[in-house]
Amino acid sequence: MAITYNEATQIFTLQTAGSTYQMMVGRYNILQHLYYGRKVEGSTMDYLLWSSDSGFSGNPYEAGSDRTFSLDIQPQEYPSAGVGDYRTSCIEVVNPDGTRAADFRYVSHEITAGAYKVTGMPAVYDENGESSTLTILMKDVATDLELVLKYGVFEKEDVITRAAELRNTAKGTISLEKMLSVCLDMGFGEWEMIHFHGRHAMERQMERTPLCHGTVSVGSRRGTSSHHHNPSLILCTPQTTEDAGDCYGMAFVYSSNFLAGAEVDQMGQTRVVMGIHPENFCFRLEPGETFETPQVIMSYSGSGFTQLSHNFHRIISDHICRGKYKYARRPILINNWEATYFNFDEENILKIASQAADLGIEMLVLDDGWFGKRNDDNSGLGDWYVNLEKLPANLSSLSEKVNAMGMKFGLWFEPEMISEDSDLYRAHPDWALQIPGRKPNRSRFQLVLDMSRQEVRDYLFERMSDILSHAHIDYVKWDMNRSMCDIYSASLPKEKQGEVYHRCMLGVYELLERLTAAFPDLMIEGCSGGGGRFDAAMLYYSPQIWCSDDTDAIERLDIQYGTSFLYPVGAVGSHVSACPNHQTGRITPFATRGVVAMAGSFGYELDLNTLPEEEKEQVKKQVADYKKYYELVHQGDYYRLNAPGDGKEFVAWSFVSADKKQALFNLVITHVRANNKPIFVKLKGLDASAKYRLEDGRVISGSALMNAGISIPSVSGEFRAIQFELKAEE
Ligand code: GLA
């Protein structure tokens, strides 16, 4: 059993293949965390609990004259504010009488087969009933307010999920000012935190920082999970490497504001928390109402980051991503954005399509500018009607012509936005988020629709489904091109304005759910100015997300490296684009652009008509290679062979099939030197006892390739890439 409860000791044990999570109903029915880490068996971990009389850390009243038991020191599963634990809390409640306290104690629990759901939000799902769920009911000592903690155990995947629910069982309205999803109290150990920061066109830069006394935290207040901080973190020891050491990962299944961080307390204990950011958040709960937090996915690896990444890759690919394209090969696409920007008509789109079809590309995606009066980015958002001046024969004709070339057709939308210069805004100015009496903050000269409103979502559903059903559309790129601001909903009373951020997010999920249900074969690619909403929740609706607006292959090495820690390769939308690169001006070989883009869901983003013949031949080869290696890349294991910026003059990574019979080695030279020495790279994840045939004919054992590595002859010329296959000999 993955979840057990021992009546005598009142200890819960959650076992996965490689980890153990333990907690107990402790003194005064306080739910105390005991342990999360490498799998232990045959012991309860309550011996780890300790107490001491620590000045200025008070004691619960029940403790009487015992001054050694303090909530301020004890490890807990879900600490609340205002009752004696001064560390970061998970929950802050204002009761109907204005008091600001809640103190939850264990009441009962239930262990059930299968995964729990989170109402209105994505969550890790389980189609085969292989997982189990522990639900713990707690009550506040004074008000009977109910708190429900949920733990999902995916044993084989080495994953534990957590979420919480607050039920207002009181007689009056309560105000929920903070409600995080998870707290993990680590009683001992010296820890570092890895997080992924960035900015537009430079997302998910890995940063590793030692914790210090006090709090290290990241988050977003932008209404999206953001380019600036990814909603995820890793806690590790200072010694942890790719291949050894303890590490814990957390990924938030949510796409709006978040807080993630770790606090080291007076005793050197570490508390890790993750949840909806408490700033700009205040939820009123009437009697009988419930608030549910989004879910957090947690995993532990005792053997370094590679294993941790594999755990996350698997749970996201198999238990978050859904739909036809979860496993089906995704079409290789050509997107017209960097080829034409807004300047296109049917003729030049068809020219790109026809060239793409000749080269083996499988789908044409028409990006921004096909609707409303949208000739630049100042107008038209919200008017989801085909611009017949640009496309007089309509989209149905365009999609049919593209289909006739043997290609699928895809289309860009930015549903959550509205331009002031649009018919939609002229008809419904109150549909935009704006604060009465203040001028809104424009970004890319656009405003954000109030997605909390049913009529807004109905309008978008009607418009999008009309477009989707009047043309042959297989794919939608769902964009979101600004941070949210001016948070005020014209449809909510003043006391509910603190709910707007979250309600808007729920609205987006609802619309996505409706659309994916109505068009089950549609493939959605998520996007938010590139990777500004690259999170596990969006992957529930869109199995791939445009990873970054930065298409420069060398910059992508950093971005894709950071992304790979928690997100699978299939999630990464990546394209070969033109050179000099439009974002950086850098020139890289065409082959290198292909190798880098192939570490993801592959496509092109340039005008194929302007390519020299020699590069067109390379497109054909890349297309063939991508098809050949698709399963290996998307279903195999991904290995980071070194880290960008580690002082070496290259970045290397590989894919290894589940049966270890096939591997694909990839390397990009990032710094070319004169009179260079050979490069040695150790491979990973191979079968030590197998013999591998390399493309150059050499046969080398897996153990040699992993322990001694291979030498790559020095190459000249900037940013060259090397890619070759290794096959185990029968
Ligand atoms: C965003 C996307 C781009 C492109 C433009 C269109 O920036 O990330 O790929 O679709 O919008 O306006």
Side-chain angles (χ1 to χ4, degrees):
M1 270 297 275
I3 303 175
T4 52
Y5 177 67
N6 183 316
E7 292 279 352
T9 57
Q10 294 197 293
I11 290 180
F12 294 98
T13 304
L14 281 47
Q15 296 284 31
T16 71
S19 72
T20 297
Y21 190 109
Q22 251 188 28
M23 58 194 147
M24 82 185 273
V25 181
R27 277 163 78 168
Y28 324 120
N29 287 337
I30 293 164
L31 192 60
Q32 292 205 263
H33 181 75
L34 296 179
Y35 174 79
Y36 184 32
R38 192 185 292 272
K39 191 165 193 165
V40 290
E41 274 159 319
S43 187
T44 56
M45 310 300 279
D46 46 338
Y47 70 88
L48 294 172
L49 290 177
W50 59 278
S51 52
S52 79
D53 180 358
S54 176
F56 289 82
S57 290
N59 320 104
Y61 207 78
E62 302 104 304
S65 59
D66 176 5
R67 297 186 182 190
T68 64
F69 185 84
S70 174
L71 289 178
D72 201 22
I73 293 171
Q74 292 297 318
Q76 295 169 68
E77 280 298 306
Y78 202 79
S80 42
V83 290
D85 185 345
Y86 300 92
R87 296 169 292 180
T88 309
S89 66
C90 277
I91 184 162
E92 287 182 32
V93 176
V94 183
N95 295 302
D97 61 0
T99 55
R100 305 177 75 91
D103 189 353
F104 296 101
R105 305 296 170 90
Y106 170 85
V107 175
S108 63
H109 72 270
E110 208 185 351
I111 298 171
T112 46
Y116 63 90
K117 292 196 165 73
V118 182
T119 313
M121 284 177 270
V124 171
Y125 64 85
D126 170 16
E127 279 168 338
N128 309 318
E130 287 168 359
S131 70
S132 33
T133 293
L134 167 65
T135 311
I136 300 179
L137 175 66
M138 321 254 291
K139 270 192 180 173
D140 174 42
V141 291
T143 63
D144 281 352
L145 201 61
E146 287 182 357
L147 172 74
V148 178
L149 301 183
K150 297 176 190 174
Y151 298 79
V153 181
F154 286 73
E155 197 173 359
K156 175 160 62 63
E157 291 79 3
D158 257 331
V159 159
I160 292 175
T161 68
R162 284 191 58 178
E165 193 178 306
L166 187 74
R167 299 177 187 156
N168 184 5
T169 38
K171 296 218 162 40
T173 308
I174 64 155
S175 179
L176 185 57
E177 308 225 317
K178 175 184 189 182
M179 188 163 179
L180 303 184
S181 300
V182 69
C183 164
L184 181 62
D185 272 346
M186 310 286 285
F188 50 88
E190 193 189 335
W191 301 106
E192 295 187 342
M193 184 171 122
I194 295 177
H195 62 107
F196 304 91
H197 70 98
R199 56 182 185 271
H200 176 232
M202 189 39 84
E203 299 88 338
R204 290 171 298 287
Q205 303 297 299
M206 190 240 220
E207 191 164 73
R208 182 169 178 167
T209 171
L211 297 182
C212 57
H213 282 91
T215 303
V216 177
S217 71
V218 295
S220 164
R221 303 173 189 84
R222 294 168 178 273
T224 57
S225 44
S226 89
H227 302 84
H228 307 78
H229 292 287
N230 191 257
S232 59
L233 62 77
I234 295 172
L235 195 74
C236 61
T237 70
Q239 296 76 30
T240 304
T241 63
E242 284 286 354
D243 309 306
D246 288 329
C247 48
Y248 302 79
M250 282 188 188
F252 201 23
V253 191
Y254 191 58
S255 320
S256 184
N257 297 345
F258 77 94
L259 177 72
E263 178 179 357
V264 179
D265 72 9
Q266 56 180 334
M267 298 300 178
Q269 306 179 107
T270 299
R271 170 170 288 176
V272 188
V273 294
M274 184 176 272
I276 294 182
H277 205 300
E279 273 181 44
N280 293 306
F281 172 89
C282 178
F283 234 85
R284 278 171 71 85
L285 288 187
E286 302 300 334
E289 285 186 346
T290 293
F291 182 84
E292 289 183 57
T293 71
Q295 186 181 62
V296 168
I297 306 173
M298 307 195 298
S299 186
Y300 160 82
S301 156
S303 49
F305 302 126
T306 303
Q307 184 59 51
L308 188 73
S309 296
H310 291 171
N311 296 348
F312 274 94
H313 293 177
R314 225 158 289 135
I315 197 83
I316 291 178
S317 302
D318 297 345
H319 297 277
I320 282 279
C321 295
R322 302 181 299 168
K324 177 175 165 190
Y325 289 101
K326 173 174 170 176
Y327 297 123
R329 188 170 69 71
R330 319 238 177 102
I332 299 172
L333 64 87
I334 170 92
N335 179 304
N336 74 306
W337 179 242
E338 288 196 15
T340 66
Y341 295 101
F342 290 103
N343 190 16
F344 62 82
D345 54 22
E346 181 173 304
E347 196 188 328
N348 64 5
I349 292 297
L350 286 175
K351 264 172 86 183
I352 294 176
S354 122
Q355 188 60 252
D358 288 351
L359 300 176
I361 294 170
E362 300 161 312
M363 178 162 74
L364 180 281
V365 176
L366 181 59
D367 210 280
D368 196 353
W370 57 267
F371 54 91
K373 290 197 177 53
R374 179 87 169 161
N375 297 316
D376 56 33
D377 57 11
N378 290 316
S379 61
L381 290 169
D383 294 344
W384 301 108
Y385 296 89
V386 180
N387 180 332
L388 294 174
E389 274 167 36
K390 268 190 194 172
L391 302 169
N394 217 325
L395 275 183
S396 45
S397 144
L398 178 59
S399 63
E400 270 164 29
K401 287 176 192 154
V402 171
N403 290 165
M405 294 171 189
M407 285 206 295
K408 295 180 188 300
F409 182 73
L411 198 61
W412 181 95
F413 282 93
E414 195 180 356
E416 298 150 72
M417 294 295 147
I418 182 164
S419 304
E420 286 157 88
D421 184 3
S422 68
D423 292 341
L424 186 67
Y425 187 80
R426 284 181 279 275
H428 300 285
D430 61 316
W431 282 14
L433 291 172
Q434 314 195 44
I435 300 177
R438 292 173 196 272
K439 295 286 177 213
N441 197 293
R442 291 178 177 134
S443 183
R444 212 191 188 201
F445 216 72
Q446 62 199 50
L447 303 181
V448 184
L449 277 172
D450 181 355
M451 296 296 289
S452 72
R453 293 175 72 159
Q454 187 66 49
E455 61 272 42
V456 172
R457 302 195 296 270
D458 288 347
Y459 166 79
L460 291 170
F461 181 75
E462 186 277 316
R463 277 294 80 230
M464 290 182 80
S465 33
D466 179 65
I467 300 276
L468 294 174
S469 35
H470 285 97
H472 298 138
I473 299 173
D474 294 287
Y475 158 112
V476 159
K477 178 173 171 187
W478 182 300
D479 213 336
M480 199 291 190
N481 277 321
R482 59 161 291 177
S483 301
M484 286 166 67
C485 189
D486 306 292
I487 301 305
Y488 178 88
S489 171
S491 71
L492 286 173
K494 66 175 189 300
E495 59 281 5
K496 283 183 140 340
Q497 294 298 327
E499 304 176 11
V500 176
Y501 264 124
H502 183 57
R503 285 186 181 278
C504 283
M505 196 66 250
L506 294 179
V508 174
Y509 292 145
E510 193 224 62
L511 180 58
L512 277 158
E513 194 65 54
R514 247 168 115 180
L515 215 74
T516 44
F519 299 91
D521 286 344
L522 183 73
M523 181 168 121
I524 302 184
E525 173 153 352
C527 181
S528 175
R533 203 157 58 178
F534 204 112
D535 55 64
M538 289 313 288
L539 289 168
Y540 188 74
Y541 301 105
S542 59
Q544 67 190 53
I545 298 175
W546 181 226
C547 185
S548 178
D549 271 350
D550 189 347
T551 59
D552 178 310
I554 303 307
E555 300 262 280
R556 276 294 185 112
L557 293 174
D558 291 334
I559 298 168
Q560 293 178 189
Y561 171 81
T563 307
S564 77
F565 275 82
L566 295 182
Y567 302 102
V569 161
V572 174
S574 48
H575 300 166
V576 172
S577 63
C579 269
N581 178 269
H582 291 196
Q583 290 80 42
T584 61
R586 186 184 272 124
I587 295 179
T588 48
F590 199 84
T592 301
R593 285 175 261 158
V595 167
V596 174
M598 248 183 239
S601 287
F602 187 64
Y604 291 84
E605 182 132 356
L606 41 73
D607 188 352
L608 294 167
N609 294 298
T610 60
L611 280 192
E613 277 313 309
E614 188 266 329
E615 288 185 349
K616 285 186 189 161
E617 287 309 307
Q618 290 200 49
V619 173
K620 285 189 198 157
K621 178 168 183 323
Q622 288 169 351
V623 164
D625 283 350
Y626 187 66
K627 288 182 184 164
K628 176 170 158 199
Y629 296 130
Y630 187 86
E631 264 192 35
L632 175 58
V633 169
H634 284 248
Q635 257 114 70
D637 288 327
Y638 178 82
Y639 289 91
R640 294 173 290 267
L641 300 180
N642 76 318
D646 64 357
K648 304 211 169 77
E649 52 278 84
F650 64 88
V651 177
W653 65 97
S654 67
F655 303 96
V656 180
S657 62
D659 63 6
K660 298 183 187 297
K661 290 196 165 143
Q662 191 194 12
L664 186 68
F665 174 85
N666 305 271
L667 179 145
V668 174
I669 306 280
T670 47
H671 196 131
V672 72
R673 294 178 192 279
N675 190 20
N676 216 347
K677 53 188 193 308
I679 289 170
F680 281 92
V681 190
K682 289 181 183 175
L683 276 87
K684 293 186 180 185
L686 301 177
D687 174 356
S689 59
K691 295 221 181 301
Y692 290 88
R693 179 172 291 278
L694 277 54
E695 281 179 24
D696 63 9
R698 284 185 289 171
V699 177
I700 307 177
S701 76
S703 60
L705 288 164
M706 291 192 291
N707 292 313
I710 40 167
S711 63
I712 310 287
S714 79
V715 287
S716 72
E718 276 220 297
F719 308 124
R720 299 275 160 190
I722 290 154
Q723 182 182 62
F724 59 82
E725 187 186 6
L726 300 97
K727 271 188 161 168
E729 300 244 279
E730 292 303 324

